[in-house]
Structures are given as structure tokens and as C-alpha cells.
Amino acid sequence: MTEFYTYLDVLNRLRDGETVRSAPREVLRAQPLPSRLALSLLPQAAMEPVKAWLRQTFGPRFLEDELAIALEATSSASPRLLPVEFERVEEDWKTGQRLRLRPTLMSGSVVVYNMPYEVAETDDLGDCPPVLTFHSFKGGMGRTTLALALAAAVHKVHRRVLFIDADFEAPGISSLLKHSMPKPRIAFADLLAIAATSSEIEANDAIETVAGRLADQEIDGLIVLPCTRDLGLPSVSPETLTLSGKRSPFFVGSLVARLGKRIGADLVIVDLRAGLSELVASLFLDPRLQHVLVTTLNGQAIDGTIMLLDRMREMASKWRAASSTQFDASLPTVIINQSPPGLTEAGFGQESALAAMAVFEEEIRLFLEQLRSSDQLTDAPENPFQEASITTSIVDADPTVTILPRDLRETQRSLIRTNLPDQMYSIFGSLVPLSAPSVLGQDRVLTDANQRRERLAEYARKSIFAESQPQADIYPTDSLVNLAERHQSAPPTVTVIGEKGSGKSYTFMSLALSKTWGTFTQKLGVGSLKQPRSSEALVLPVTPPQDLDRDAREAERKVTAETARALTGGMPLNDQLIADAVQRQLQRPDAGSAVVWRQFWLDMIAWRAGFTPGTPEAFGRFTEALLPGHAVVGIFDGIETLFSRLRSSEQEQAAVEALLRLVPDWLSQLPTKNVGCVIFIREDLARYSMVNNFKQFADRYSAFALRWNWAEASALALWIAQQSGSLPSTIAPESLASLDEEQRSQELVELWGWKMGPNTSREARSLEWTMSSLSDFNRSIKARDLVRFLAESASRSTPSDIYHDQRLLSPRAMRDAIGPCSRDRVFETGEENVDLKRIFRKIEGLVGSQRELPWSYERAHELIGSEDVRVLEDNGVLFRYEDEFFVPELYRSGLNLFYSGGARRKVVTLMRQAAGRGR
């Protein structure tokens, strides 16, 4: 028995499916109110069919004499009636009473039966890329993970994906962007807001504005449009545009499809909010788009998915009756996700899966039957879903994606290592046809092993210091790719932080020798969306490193002179005059003002471009004098040689802080966007200059920081070997970052073998041994140390070495190379960190058994001192395991330390123990 307490219970009965289907043609709509039930009837409606329908719907609760619906009595037993009022519409009701069809997942307070709907003219999206929405009734179904897996699969076949995060209440992709894209330039909310306020019916201005800024939001082939720029709620939501009287209620679908077409995407993926939210209705109920419903075998999830299918069925029926436009659309694909392994085979869970699939297929059968049965007019428009059939797919659970990284790029790499992308491509691959795989350039590789070792040693040795051998080639690390991807529509305005040996000067020279920003980004494999203006920006070295050798210095000066001639026709301020200008500025009474220094650095850009060198307030006139279409990126390095007292001088701190913080901020606000900057700075110098808020500053530019992890270092080793012609280019080095350690080891077998001995021995794997030997106990590795190691190992490998015929670098040569690498690392670390330099000198002064490792707890504190022990631990130069202290191989030899009895410490085991501390 059904209870009717209020008018809301009456409303629920009136919109029941059976009630809707049995409504006589005389009834147009019903609206239950707290005080009455209003029924709209045809002008000449006969009353008997209407009353018969009410008797059938409410049974004895319909009191025909009183024309009322009896509600449940209250505690006082007084009768409670909801009067029924009949309202006949005017004779011309067909012209004035048509309802505007609007996508909605909410039932509303009015139930429409036989009143006609109208649909505003809606675009045919045939020339746009497919738009695929991902939706689920509940959160936690794996919807976003599957959407990302499909995006990864599409990128794998060399196609581009526009990924839109439309989940405003619990954004997934937008949260993953925090590291690599902390401040996106444009968001889905901006697209909606610009379109809502546009005077153009098609809102082409909104599409152009968003497309121009999306050039800076591409990550590994995935063009990302987050929900909002700050993860807040939008001012204009998708449902707002469905209420517009001047546009189709399905305008949002047209908007995202045309945006995908504008930027050259092959597929548009939209991640929707879970549940029955009006935030998703305009996209989820658009029959021109393709839809994915993600569920699990959870009973509530299945029931909710059926409810969503019912809403879609209802919308399709109304669309069919109202629209004069035909679309080749498909029914949704239902994915049963997170299924136990072996579900498709006989065994546990198979019965549940088959039952769920049968339920979904029955829903679609009813869907189609309802639409066919309503097809009464021969000239009625074709049902957009008529010829479609449902696809129900099962996706196996993968424990490796239960916990994904917090960064989007790392998440994509984690997914690539699973079978999820392949499973998703098997379902949706037809939407994005396979393209021919790109063929890697086949460099000439010498066949003689000794010649290959010589080439590797020569190339690596030249690459150790950019100051001694300028090279335009550069390996595309994540940080550099981030830098390029984020700055395609306008010149960059950033500070790049890195430790000594991380590749700052190398990157500076590669950027300088590229001559234009676009050439540099192309070297990194970053494409552009229709050649944005920033690609034409000229590179201008402003403060080059002071220790460049003759060849490098000449190359830098040539680029600077060419850029100055192209921009102003003048001669740049030379290096000595730069240093003199800095010293004069330091002597001024206002040398402690960061604002004054900001103007100085801006003027320095103008002076180096040949614009009135040495004159104050030159920058403003310089930007005005730049010809239309001209842009420049000023690059800075060598700050440590200009400011030798940065640790103690407030004036020097103000100068460097102004350069690092204020100059990029100022340039980013230039309306003309014709001057940018890339400032390379050692991390310790940045700390000294930022007396306050260094962490906030570092976080802002963390996506561009030059730091190397083991995966990137492995890829760099392969890249160096390929660039030298010592190994064939059969695999792209950057692809190693998406492999696990065992797979990376396999790809590097030809370089240094599988193990540091026979493959069947108990020796460590060569890859892990190399990374462990070149890292401190914080697992920090520097590019310079790795390149130096390759040079030393290649030059020391000889035909007389064991296993020399199985690899380029022999185990003996690799072990011998650690000594010189360690000595150089101790020296360079001391030059960068004065505290460590002092402690290193103390350790180097130890004699006899004092140099014998491991040190006991008491011995370490006795020899070095408690405070210095803490400093060494913080910097990864000392590690305590149980009651003993160890020093990493990267520093041990350079500090003249040894293990007792001359034993060779298992460096891999020690690094693993260090990596596991604190767990």
C-alpha cells in the first residue's frame, strides 16, 4: 500500500512511468501544488477519460464527487483532501503552449504528458572530433581513471586529446594539475562564462580566447581544460546556458565539440560529475555526443546506472518528437569496472556480471521499443538512437592503479604500465583510427665497439660543462617539457631553480643557440597549436655565465649580437659593462630597494638588445619601439659571479630577489606580451636572496625546477649514447620514464649490461648500481655526475676487460670511474655549500683508522660533531643504519674514506636501506 502524505507523493505517482504511458490524449500536463492539483486539458476535452485515468492512477483515493485526492489523515483523524482543478487551454494552444525542451536530470514540479516540445536549431557536429562523456551514478567507480587510461591509449597512437574536467564539485584532473600546472591560464568555467556573456550566437570569441591559451596546457599530448583555475565553484555553470533563450539548450555540447575542432584535437573527453546533477545534464543528455556510463557490480551502482539510462531514454523520446534534425548518435557504453580477475571466465563473480549485463541490455531494449511504438507519423524525424545498440564491457581490476600519483604526468605514466589503456582502446579505438607510428631517426652507429666507446667518451666529456663545449641539443626532461608546454601562447616569464650540476648552464646555452623560443620548444618535442606568436620570440642572452671558454663565449656573443640587430639595429652592452653597471648600482644609496633593482634589470634587457645602452628608464621606451610581431625572451645565468657576498649583503639580496621574483611578475603583466624571461639560479643562491617566503617562491616554479630522478637519469644515459652515435635510436629515450626499473634495465643492456657481472651472478643490476653509486642518500642525482661517469667509464673500458664484448661499458671500468666522479662531486658541492665545504675539510683531515667506515654513533659524533652530523644527514651525505653511519659512494672516495678490511660495500643494499628510512 502506498501512503500519500502530501502533494509531493501525488507528484511522484503522476510521473510514474505507467501513469505517463496511460495518460489520455485529453491531458496535457499536471502540476501538484500544496493547495491543489492543476490538470491542463484540451479545449474540447471529454471528462470521462480523464476521470477514468485518475481512478486508475489513485484508486479509491480519487473522490470523484468531491473532485479531490484523499491524503493520509493526521492524528486528529480530520479528512485531508487535495482538490483537483481542471484548466482548459485556449483554442490556439498549439502555437502558444509549446514547451522548450531543456536537458535536465531533475524531475521538476510539472509532469508533461501530451504537450508538444520544441528544440531550438542545433548544430550538426559531423565535422568535429568525437566528444565522449564519462559519467557514473556514484563516485569511486573509477570513472576518471578510465577516462585517463583512454587518453593515454589515444596518445600512444599519436593522436591528440582535449580532456575537459567538468566535475566542478569534486574535480579529479584539476587536482592532478597542481604540480605541473599550478596556475592554469584558462578553464572550463572561463569557456562557459565568456560564452554566456558573448554577443555572438555561436560564441566564436569564447572558442578563440580559450583555444589561444590552451597552447600552454598540453601535457604529454593531453590538452587539459580544468574545471576552474582555482578549484572553486564556477560563476556560470553548464545548466545556465541551457536556459538561454537565444541559443539551443544543447549549446554546451556544440561549444566543446567546436573547441576540439579549433585546436586540432582528435578526441574530446569530458569527465562529468557523478550522480543526478544538473551540472552534467546539458552534456550527458545530448544525443549528438557519445557517452560512457561507469559502474561496478555494487547493487546501488547498478540501480543508479539504470536510473541514468531511464533519464536518457526519456530525453531521447522527447527529442525525437520535437526535433527536425537527424543525428547519427549511439547509445551509451556501459562499463562494469573494477571486476575481479577472471570474471569473464567461469567462476566467482561471472553470474553477477552476466546478470548485470542482461539488466542493462533489457533497459536498452525497452528504450528502443518505446521509441518505435511512438513512431506514428510517416514524416516524423528519425530517432537519433534508433539504429544503435548498447555496448556493455567489463574492465578487469588492476591493483597497481588503486593508488595513483598526485601529479598528472606521473599518473599517465603509471597507467601506461598497466593494461587499462589497451582495454579502453579495444572498446573505443574505432573513434580514433590508428595512425602510422612515427619512425625514430636512424643515426649512423659505428659497428666497431672500440670506436663506439671512443665516440661516447668524447661526446660525454664535451657535455659535462656547457661552458667548455656549447651544444644546442638537449634532453627533454619533465621540467623542460613543462616549461615549453606552459609557454606556447606567450613568452615565458619564469625562474628556473637548480643545484650546481643540474644542467642550468647547459640549458642556458642550448636555449641561446636555439635563437628562437619556438626552435627550443621543438627540440623538446613540444608541438604548437597553429604556430602561436611565442614561437617567433627571439632569445637574448642578458647575463651569460662568466666562465665560458673561448668557443662558448664566441657562440653566445654571436647570438646576442644577431638578436640585438634584429630587434633594434643597435649593439648590445658587453659583458664587462654589465658587471660594471651592477657594481655601480650596488654603490647607490637606494641599493637596498628591490623596486629600484627591478627597473635596473628591466633596463638591462633593453641595453643588451642594443637600445640606448646605459641610459636609465630604457625598458619602457624599448617595449614601445619593438615592431609589431617582434618579441624577445631575455635569459639570465651566472648570477653567482655578479654577486659574491649574497649570503651577507642586504643590497645583493635585494638585487637578486628583484630579478627572481619581481622581474617575472612585471613582465607577465605586460599587455603587449612581447618580452619574457627565463632566469637560471642555483637553489642556494635563491635561498640566500629570499629571506622570507622562499618555499612559496620555490613552489610557484617547482614544475620547472631542474631536478633529476632515477628514471630521467636512465633516459639521459641512453640519450647521450644515442647522440654520440654509440647506440642505435631504436627507442625514444623519454619513453624510459614510463617503464618500470626492470624494463629500463633491459633497454640499457647494450650500454652497461644487465648486471655488474655475469647475468646469472648475484651481482647487482647495472642500472640500479649506477644510480645508487651516483646518488646521495636522499636519492638525489645530478646530470653532470652521470655524464661525467659515462665519459670516465667509456674511456676506461678496454678489450681486455671481462664482458667487454657484451656491452659498451665494462663492470671494471664502471667501478673505477666512481673515484674521479666522487672527487669532482666533493669539490663542486663544497663550492656550492659553504657549510658542507667546511665539514668536508674536517673529514679530509682525518687520519688512519679515523677514515674507516662505518662509524659507530659515538665515533661519528666524536670525529665530526653532533651539529655537523645533522647537516650531513640533511644533505644526504651521511646515513645512520641501526647504530652505524655510512657515506654514499658518490662522496666516499672523494673524502678519502674506506671500509674496514678493504671490503667493497654493497652500494645497492645501502641505498635501499636509506630509501626505506622513516617507513
Side-chain angles (χ1 to χ4, degrees):
M1 180 177 178
T2 301
E3 281 75 23
F4 287 77
Y5 296 107
T6 68
Y7 76 99
L8 296 175
D9 295 313
V10 174
L11 173 63
N12 288 333
R13 173 58 62 88
L14 288 171
R15 63 189 179 198
D16 176 75
E18 181 58 36
T19 302
V20 172
R21 286 189 288 273
S22 63
R25 59 182 297 274
E26 287 85 357
V27 179
L28 298 180
R29 65 177 183 177
Q31 184 176 17
L33 299 168
S35 60
R36 61 194 177 97
L37 167 60
L39 292 179
S40 297
L41 308 180
L42 289 172
Q44 305 299 327
M47 295 303 300
E48 182 51 36
V50 177
K51 292 180 180 180
W53 174 66
L54 290 172
R55 287 193 296 270
Q56 177 185 332
T57 301
F58 294 101
R61 289 186 180 276
F62 174 55
L63 306 179
E64 189 169 348
D65 293 338
E66 290 89 345
L67 284 181
I69 307 295
L71 303 179
E72 299 296 327
T74 62
S75 57
S76 63
S78 59
R80 297 175 62 241
L81 302 179
L82 185 69
V84 179
E85 296 182 2
F86 301 108
E87 302 171 351
R88 286 181 165 82
V89 298
E90 300 294 333
E91 290 290 343
D92 60 348
W93 67 275
K94 285 190 177 182
T95 59
Q97 295 289 326
R98 296 180 69 86
L99 298 176
R100 180 178 171 83
L101 182 62
R102 186 174 72 87
T104 178
L105 287 169
M106 305 304 292
S107 299
S109 61
V110 178
V111 185
V112 177
Y113 297 108
N114 297 297
M115 289 193 71
Y117 283 94
E118 65 176 1
V119 179
E121 184 177 350
T122 307
D123 297 335
D124 182 355
L125 305 180
D127 61 341
C128 295
V131 177
L132 191 61
T133 72
F134 277 74
H135 190 36
S136 59
F137 177 71
K138 292 179 59 180
M141 300 290 100
R143 179 191 71 251
T144 301
T145 300
L146 293 183
L148 280 174
L150 176 60
V154 173
H155 175 58
K156 192 175 179 180
V157 297
H158 315 291
R159 298 291 189 175
R160 308 181 76 199
V161 179
L162 170 59
F163 199 111
I164 300 176
D165 188 353
D167 188 349
F168 290 108
E169 296 178 357
I173 300 302
S174 303
S175 298
L176 292 176
L177 284 179
K178 284 185 178 180
H179 174 70
S180 56
M181 198 183 300
K183 292 187 177 181
R185 296 191 64 199
I186 201 74
F188 186 42
D190 297 314
L191 174 65
L192 300 176
I194 299 171
T197 57
S198 174
S199 59
E200 302 179 14
I201 296 297
E202 299 297 324
N204 290 318
D205 53 344
I207 291 175
E208 288 300 317
T209 299
V210 174
R213 287 155 179 78
L214 275 178
D216 297 337
Q217 298 183 189
E218 184 170 353
I219 296 179
D220 287 348
L222 191 66
I223 307 164
V224 184
L225 189 64
C227 55
T228 60
R229 282 173 282 158
D230 58 2
L231 298 184
L233 290 175
S235 300
V236 177
S237 64
E239 63 177 316
T240 304
L241 292 180
T242 69
L243 301 173
S244 170
K246 64 181 180 179
R247 299 188 178 110
S248 164
F250 298 91
F251 178 69
V252 179
S254 301
L255 202 62
V256 299
R258 289 191 290 120
L259 176 61
K261 176 184 177 182
R262 171 63 180 80
I263 67 173
D266 298 294
L267 176 67
V268 179
I269 294 177
V270 185
D271 188 22
L272 298 175
R273 175 76 179 112
L276 297 174
S277 170
E278 290 298 87
L279 291 173
V280 309
S282 62
L283 289 166
F284 175 67
L285 295 177
D286 190 333
R288 300 168 302 166
L289 313 183
Q290 313 226 18
H291 306 284
V292 181
L293 284 171
V294 181
T295 183
T296 65
L297 291 177
N298 175 283
Q300 183 185 11
I302 291 176
D303 291 342
T305 303
I306 293 173
M307 188 183 304
L308 291 172
L309 288 170
D310 286 342
R311 295 290 193 276
M312 184 173 285
R313 178 172 58 185
E314 180 182 349
M315 177 57 64
S317 177
K318 293 176 180 177
W319 179 289
R320 178 215 170 277
S323 176
S324 60
T325 308
Q326 298 183 16
F327 296 105
D328 294 327
S330 64
L331 289 170
T333 297
V334 178
I335 294 181
I336 302 175
N337 191 29
Q338 302 172 1
S339 61
L343 187 64
T344 55
E345 304 172 359
F348 174 77
Q350 185 192 33
E351 183 176 346
S352 298
L354 294 177
M357 294 176 69
V359 168
F360 293 136
E361 289 167 359
E362 175 63 15
E363 281 295 310
I364 301 303
R365 186 188 65 78
L366 293 173
F367 192 156
L368 295 176
E369 281 190 1
Q370 175 183 322
L371 294 173
R372 292 191 182 105
S373 64
S374 63
D375 187 8
Q376 299 175 352
L377 301 176
T378 56
D379 59 348
E382 181 181 351
N383 162 33
F385 296 120
Q386 193 73 39
E387 303 303 324
S389 61
I390 189 171
T391 300
T392 306
S393 301
I394 296 177
V395 173
D396 295 335
D398 192 325
T400 62
V401 299
T402 303
I403 301 177
L404 290 172
R406 297 174 62 187
D407 174 64
L408 179 57
R409 195 187 301 276
E410 291 302 319
T411 295
Q412 289 292 83
R413 290 173 177 173
S414 297
L415 288 172
I416 284 293
R417 293 194 287 268
T418 72
N419 66 348
L420 278 183
D422 291 339
Q423 292 189 69
M424 294 300 291
Y425 195 81
S426 68
I427 301 172
F428 301 105
S430 60
L431 294 178
V432 186
L434 182 67
S435 62
S438 60
V439 180
L440 295 172
Q442 298 297 316
D443 302 328
R444 184 177 66 90
V445 178
L446 301 176
T447 57
D448 181 79
N450 286 332
Q451 289 181 323
R452 294 163 65 193
R453 293 185 183 104
E454 291 173 1
R455 287 283 296 276
L456 176 58
E458 178 185 8
Y459 188 89
R461 200 168 299 283
K462 291 179 179 179
S463 301
I464 296 174
F465 294 102
E467 295 89 342
S468 60
Q469 183 65 35
Q471 300 205 44
D473 296 328
I474 192 165
Y475 172 70
T477 63
D478 282 353
S479 57
L480 294 180
V481 171
N482 283 337
L483 179 64
E485 288 179 338
R486 291 292 308 280
H487 301 97
Q488 294 191 67
S489 64
T493 52
V494 301
T495 295
V496 176
I497 304 172
E499 297 176 339
K500 190 177 182 66
S502 60
K504 298 184 305 302
S505 295
Y506 192 102
T507 307
F508 176 95
M509 287 304 301
S510 178
L511 184 49
L513 295 177
S514 298
K515 298 185 179 180
T516 69
W517 178 249
T519 301
F520 179 70
T521 62
Q522 289 171 11
K523 291 178 185 176
L524 298 171
V526 176
S528 60
L529 300 177
K530 295 200 174 182
Q531 297 181 343
R533 174 186 174 186
S534 68
S535 66
E536 301 172 358
L538 299 175
V539 175
L540 175 68
V542 181
T543 59
Q546 295 300 302
D547 51 357
L548 296 177
D549 73 358
R550 185 180 62 183
D551 290 343
R553 175 70 64 193
E554 183 59 32
E556 177 270 316
R557 286 175 176 169
K558 182 179 179 181
V559 171
T560 304
E562 290 177 356
T563 300
R565 282 196 299 270
L567 293 173
T568 67
M571 292 293 293
L573 194 70
N574 66 45
D575 299 347
Q576 184 57 54
L577 292 179
I578 291 175
D580 292 345
V582 169
Q583 292 305 311
R584 285 196 301 272
Q585 189 73 15
L586 286 170
Q587 303 307 314
R588 289 169 52 113
D590 54 5
S593 169
V595 174
V596 172
W597 276 104
R598 179 190 65 194
Q599 185 61 49
F600 173 84
W601 293 120
L602 293 174
D603 288 344
M604 183 66 72
I605 295 175
W607 299 341
R608 284 289 277 180
F611 187 84
T612 62
T615 62
E617 306 293 334
F619 181 75
R621 290 176 284 120
F622 166 67
T623 57
E624 294 173 357
L626 283 177
L627 296 175
H630 280 197
V632 61
V633 178
I635 59 176
F636 296 76
D637 194 15
I639 304 303
E640 62 274 15
T641 60
L642 294 174
F643 301 97
S644 58
R645 298 184 301 114
L646 186 58
R647 194 174 188 184
S648 58
S649 170
E650 293 183 1
Q651 290 79 10
E652 293 193 1
Q653 290 169 359
V656 176
E657 180 176 10
L659 176 62
L660 304 185
R661 193 197 302 272
L662 302 187
V663 169
D665 287 347
W666 185 272
L667 294 179
S668 68
Q669 298 303 316
L670 281 179
T672 53
K673 303 292 183 186
N674 57 357
V675 182
C677 67
V678 178
I679 303 163
F680 297 94
I681 186 72
R682 271 182 13 204
E683 183 172 348
D684 60 314
L685 301 183
R687 287 182 182 275
Y688 294 151
S689 67
M690 302 285 177
V691 180
N692 299 308
N693 298 324
F694 170 77
K695 185 179 185 304
Q696 181 182 10
F697 168 79
D699 288 345
R700 175 180 177 183
Y701 296 114
S702 61
F704 316 129
L706 296 179
R707 295 187 179 92
W708 295 77
N709 57 41
W710 283 14
E712 287 188 322
S714 304
L716 176 62
L718 179 59
W719 185 81
I720 291 288
Q722 290 180 350
Q723 291 293 311
S724 68
S726 302
L727 289 182
S729 300
T730 54
I731 180 174
E734 54 269 28
S735 67
L736 264 63
S738 63
L739 305 179
D740 58 35
E741 187 167 305
E742 183 169 350
Q743 292 170 322
R744 289 198 297 271
S745 295
Q746 188 62 51
E747 296 297 340
L748 291 166
V749 163
E750 193 173 354
L751 176 62
W752 50 41
W754 179 254
K755 288 188 173 184
M756 295 295 289
N759 290 347
T760 57
S761 71
R762 300 185 64 182
E763 293 283 356
R765 287 184 184 174
S766 300
L767 172 60
E768 190 175 9
W769 181 90
T770 301
M771 297 297 117
S772 298
S773 297
L774 296 176
S775 300
D776 61 30
F777 282 136
N778 293 327
R779 287 177 67 95
S780 173
I781 188 170
K782 294 179 172 58
R784 182 177 295 169
D785 292 331
L786 177 63
V787 177
R788 183 184 286 124
F789 169 79
L790 292 175
E792 293 287 345
S793 299
S795 63
R796 294 166 185 264
S797 296
T798 66
S800 61
D801 289 338
I802 302 176
Y803 319 119
H804 80 281
D805 57 338
Q806 301 173 7
R807 59 190 83 184
L808 286 180
L809 309 181
S810 70
R812 180 202 60 79
M814 292 168 67
R815 289 192 175 96
D816 290 348
I818 295 299
C821 291
S822 177
R823 288 189 289 274
D824 287 339
R825 171 47 43 210
V826 168
F827 173 77
E828 291 171 4
T829 300
E831 290 297 299
E832 182 177 3
N833 189 313
V834 294
D835 287 332
L836 287 179
K837 185 175 185 177
R838 175 183 54 79
I839 300 172
F840 288 169
R841 286 178 177 174
K842 184 188 297 187
I843 295 175
E844 289 167 348
L846 300 177
V847 296
S849 62
Q850 293 178 331
R851 298 188 289 113
E852 184 177 311
L853 295 174
W855 290 317
S856 67
Y857 180 86
E858 294 78 11
R859 184 72 159 168
H861 285 75
E862 174 190 344
L863 295 174
I864 305 174
S866 299
E867 181 60 28
D868 287 348
V869 165
R870 185 191 62 78
V871 172
L872 291 176
E873 287 185 289
D874 289 345
N875 286 275
V877 185
L878 202 61
F879 164 58
R880 180 184 176 185
Y881 181 66
E882 295 181 346
D883 195 36
E884 295 179 320
F885 280 99
F886 299 88
V887 174
E889 287 298 289
L890 180 64
Y891 289 97
R892 184 189 60 79
S893 178
L895 292 172
N896 297 317
L897 302 174
F898 60 89
Y899 285 105
S900 57
R904 177 159 54 91
R905 183 68 186 182
K906 295 185 179 299
V907 297
V908 170
T909 301
L910 194 58
M911 188 59 65
R912 289 176 180 174
Q913 291 168 343
R917 59 188 161 184
R919 292 179 182 174

